[in-house]
Amino acid sequence: MLKLNIRKLSGAACLLLMPALIFSGCSLSGGNTETKKTFFAMDTVMTLTVYGRKSGTADAKMANSEIAAEKAAARILEIEAALSVTSDTSELSRLNASENETAEASDDVLIPLGAALGIAGETGGALDVTVLPLVRAWGFLSKEYRVPSREELDTLLQNVGYSRLRISGREIVRPPGTELDFGAVAKGYAAQEAAELLRGEGVAGAVISLGGNVQTVGQKPGGEKWRIAVADPLDPDHGTIGTLSVGEAAVVTSGGYQRFFERGTVRYHHILDPKKGMPAENELLSVTVVCDNGTKADGLSTALFVMGFPAAMEHYKLQSDLEYGGFEAVFVTKDRRVIVTDGLKQSFAAANNKYDYE
Ligand code: AMP
Ligand code: MG
């Protein structure tokens, strides 16, 4: 069974993993192979598990799982190189630093940006990719954490607001000083792109697990559903709240427990309310979104976490009435309730007696 939320590694562990990609392969019955590839990217541990066939076996159309996994990892690293805001040379950093109002952008910027702006519009700006100045001020980029003053946040907020952005053809139009951060959608977009690549390679099945973002492709050997554990936000390293059984899907969790620092008795986490400039504080401990697109699942889980409960549930009900809006969710609240939306109730197995399940 897969653990959905792999917490971000400590600095020392990152160093151990970075020089080498961890790679393993084994044979399954019928000539099918399983390749597992673990590497560090986008500030998290990523694991690709790919089921394919050895080259030269009966079904020539089926992929060699090792080659397919290599290509998927390379694609994820390419997206990281475009979207990282901690590297000065990424496409996004160059765009942020530009004094020009308009900049031509690649698909790797335009596609996640388009998805994020759509979700921003639907959620009243709960998701807002212009939060970078705030993310920087709290120290979430440098990991030199600090609590900015109200005055500093108010000044920074003058440059925050997704409605300042426009996409015109391949150009992004923005007032200089508006800086973009794709932290809320980049892993989901990378998982989506890796899934599409693996499908194109003809793999039998795959699980793409990018630190809290899981996406499945095809079928598990044996044909049963993929089982994905949802982390217990009160004990994320060891506990789960239950297991989701899914076919092809993106399953993404956002929660304050995934990245935070403490000052005295106060915990400050990385998901910010774009209106206040402060970490979003409400009834929620975590939100897991299940849908057919990784970018959308990632953006929505962040947005619903900012909206809080029950506003996020109201948004679910509104969207589930729309043909194109379909997603499902699992909400975990501070008063220890786990609320599973209707379309997931049959697929969710509860596993933690700390919580009341609804
Ligand atoms: P996630 O882990 O997907 O929920 O996204 C959180 C990351 O997205 C943070 O580490 C920030 O880089 C960025 N972020 C924080 N708050 C927001 C927000 N309200 N809208 C968009 N991005 C955000
Ligand atoms: Mg997200």
Side-chain angles (χ1 to χ4, degrees), residues 11 13 67 78 94 107-108 175 206 227 271 281 283 289 311 333:
I67 294 172
E78 181 179 62
R94 281 186 281 117
D107 281 348
D108 284 343
R227 296 199 326 137
I271 305 176
E281 273 309 324
E283 275 308 299
V289 169
T333 66

Side-chain angles (χ1 to χ4, degrees), residues 128 130-133 153-162 164 175-179:
D128 192 324
T130 65
V131 291
L132 183 62
L153 290 174
D154 285 340
T155 305
L156 295 173
L157 280 167
Q158 292 171 12
N159 278 328
V160 174
Y162 74 97
R164 303 160 67 84
T178 309
E179 295 182 278

Side-chain angles (χ1 to χ4, degrees), residues 21 29 52 74 89 113 152 207 211 250 269 318 339 342 347:
L21 297 173
S29 58
T89 56
L113 178 60
E152 181 181 352
V207 181
H269 62 69
L318 203 72
I339 301 110
D342 286 349
S347 329

Side-chain angles (χ1 to χ4, degrees), residues 24 51 75 85 94 120 130 165 180 194 199 212 268 287 292 299 305 316 339 343 355:
S24 71
Y51 301 96
R75 178 71 184 112
V85 285
R94 281 186 281 117
T130 65
L165 300 174
L180 309 185
R199 246 177 244 123
Y268 299 96
V287 181
D292 60 1
F305 185 84
Y316 163 77
I339 301 110
Y355 294 94

